[in-house]
Amino acid sequence: MADGRVRMLIDGEWVSAEAGGWITVDDPATEDIIGHVPAGGAADIDRAVTAAAAAFRDWRWCPADERAALLHRAADKTSEHWDVLLELLTREQGKPRPEQEEELEWSASPLRYYAELGRNNRGRVIPSGEPRTQLNLVLKEPYGVFGLIVPWNYPLLLLSWKLAPALAAGNAVVIKPSEYTSLITLEWIRRCFDHFPPGVVNVVTGTGPDAGEALVRHPDVRGVAMTGSVETGQRIAAVAAPMMKHLHLELGGKDAFVVAPDAAPASAVDALAYAALINTGQVCTSSERVYVPAHLRDGIAEGLREKLEGLRLGHGLDDSTDLGPLRAERFRTKVERHVADAVERGAKVVVGGARPQVPGRGYFYLPTVLVDVDHDMVIMNEETFGPTIPIMAYEDIGDAIDWVNGNAMGLGATLRSTEPATIKRFFEEVKVGTVWINDPLTDNLAGPFGGMRMTGGGRELGEEGLEAFSETKHVHWDFSDAPKDWWYPY
Ligand code: NAD
């Protein structure tokens, strides 16, 4: 829109919030204001859910191959509008362009994957007690209206992991994007999903406590799929519990990166820098705590120092940028708090540990390596979500495995090793949803993604990712209406 105010989508119409307020969106690399989105609230959520419930009545009966064609078309349109989406995604979210390209690819491919998976089956036939006269069916049905609540670190990818299977399974949806990345969400939906029937896909922007919580609370929303912090997940679970809603929660992580004694230190340094710093460490599966054999510690720390000193901070649209900013000042302050606490308790800064000394704005923070850390420090326990690499030495790999499991969250873990006995022991003993051996943070559309314990237990991608948006119904069908001899009277 010419005035920088972008409307939200309810029932096929682009509208402002009923209460009239706006949320300002900035570019995290410059702090310049780049647009405004409606500050939606309960009234807007009610309109969107009502529209979705009405649209669902027909949408649920849309043939699976037609639904598939609509999803493939959305993927085609993502390619057609690639450049404009890429620029806005980079400007609003902050990570460098090559990482944004990867995000766009990874937002389009689930549309195709679930388009096909969604028309593959609707359940199964199971053996009946009387095989000649009865039929027993296990049906997979859509829930109805699903709420999709999304964070800002991968705003389109994490939306696609929900939106594609939710639609393929026959649900209508109301999307609540993050306040920080609502512009790109609206732009993607406007350009690439405009061929869906009105009301099947709705977007209500606004804050978590206003728009998000109203969506969770709405009685006609039967399921909520949400990615975000543990605190928000706990709040959503508490609000949804009295209504027994189906919840699908993908929450925070504190992933460990373990270097085994047999690992080559030089390539471990390269893998670790990638695993900890991609998206400036703002990945739920970022390596946030590192366990290395004592004899390799100094070499790895020194290798990281050399590597990190050569990385260039800048705007994501600048081709020379390796690392973008943090998404907001409050996230930078949190990183500073974690580093300060570690230093106060005896950690040593090998490199970084501060804001960059260059003039200019933006929420930048230097990539940072710390040694002499321990588990009493906040940085080894709570999610930092920033460019920090705290390294702790172990004598016995059994200790490192215990430490991996010592955190309340259980999203992922990485091991560097080529020693089969160590690898098997590691992947069997760690309590996390994804284990990466040597190749950290690589996803697979067919591989379920999610965490254990406080990370929430939801699974996206794979067959599990479609199952999450389908309810199970058992049908027992007897062809005869004759009375049974076990009915009353006995
Ligand atoms: P957040 O929890 O602050 O917000 C996530 C979404 O929830 C936003 O859309 C927000 O508006 C909404 N929300 C906030 N309060 C709400 C409420 N009371 N009711 C309903 N909705 C509410 O998280 P964030 O800062 O946007 O994202 C970062 C977090 O997401 C990190 O903790 C990260 O680990 C996690 N994350 C997890 C995964 C995963 O797959 N497990 C992936 C990416 C990010």
Side-chain angles (χ1 to χ4, degrees), residues 149-153 158 176-179 206-209 212-213 216 226-230 232 235-236 250-253 284 330-331 383 385 411 449 455 460:
I149 301 180
V150 187
W152 49 266
N153 62 334
L158 290 168
K176 210 304 279 176
S178 166
E179 301 83 311
T207 67
E213 211 161 302
V216 178
M226 173 268 190
T227 299
S229 62
V230 171
T232 304
R235 176 72 194 152
I236 287 174
E250 293 280 356
L251 308 177
C284 53
R330 71 185 178 97
F331 302 123
E383 188 175 49
F385 229 54
L411 186 53
F449 178 95
T455 298
E460 297 187 315

Side-chain angles (χ1 to χ4, degrees), residues 170-189:
N171 300 279
V173 303
V174 177
I175 299 163
K176 210 304 279 176
S178 166
E179 301 83 311
Y180 296 109
T181 44
S182 294
L183 292 172
I184 184 60
T185 308
L186 291 167
E187 195 67 13
W188 190 43
I189 297 296

Side-chain angles (χ1 to χ4, degrees), residues 225-281:
M226 173 268 190
T227 299
S229 62
V230 171
E231 296 71 29
T232 304
Q234 288 169 322
R235 176 72 194 152
I236 287 174
V239 171
M243 287 172 273
M244 295 296 168
K245 297 197 179 199
H246 176 76
L247 289 187
H248 174 72
L249 301 173
E250 293 280 356
L251 308 177
K254 189 70 189 172
D255 284 10
F257 186 109
V258 178
V259 179
D262 71 283
S267 54
V269 164
D270 289 345
L272 178 52
Y274 172 79
L277 300 179
I278 180 174
N279 199 5
T280 316

Side-chain angles (χ1 to χ4, degrees), residues 13 115 132 158 196 205 261 332 372 426:
E13 306 277 322
R132 289 181 187 282
L158 290 168
F196 279 77
T205 53
R332 176 163 63 174
D372 296 340
F426 185 84

Side-chain angles (χ1 to χ4, degrees), residues 302-429:
E302 182 53 22
L304 280 167
R305 187 188 61 74
E306 280 171 23
K307 188 165 187 90
L308 270 49
E309 278 177 350
L311 297 181
R312 294 152 303 183
L313 275 56
H315 199 289
L317 289 172
D318 181 339
D319 285 339
S320 66
T321 293
D322 296 309
L323 282 184
L326 293 156
R327 180 55 193 90
E329 181 59 31
R330 71 185 178 97
F331 302 123
R332 176 163 63 174
T333 309
K334 182 179 184 190
V335 175
E336 287 176 325
R337 194 160 35 80
H338 284 201
V339 172
D341 170 80
V343 169
E344 226 165 76
R345 291 170 191 266
K348 187 169 144 250
V349 177
V350 176
V351 64
R355 299 178 182 205
Q357 289 296 315
V358 289
R361 303 196 321 151
Y363 312 117
F364 291 97
Y365 192 84
L366 290 172
T368 297
V369 175
L370 299 167
V371 291
D372 296 340
V373 296
D374 61 45
H375 291 114
D376 290 335
M377 298 173 183
V378 177
I379 204 162
M380 292 297 282
N381 287 300
E382 290 177 22
E383 188 175 49
T384 307
F385 229 54
T388 50
I389 310 181
I391 303 175
M392 191 164 158
Y394 67 81
E395 298 292 342
D396 180 338
I397 192 147
D399 291 336
I401 291 173
D402 288 346
W403 294 341
V404 172
N405 292 333
N407 194 272
M409 290 175 276
L411 186 53
T414 293
L415 176 70
R416 295 284 304 177
S417 178
T418 52
E419 167 55 48
T422 306
I423 294 168
K424 182 169 179 291
R425 176 180 177 190
F426 185 84
F427 71 64
E428 286 184 341
E429 290 188 13

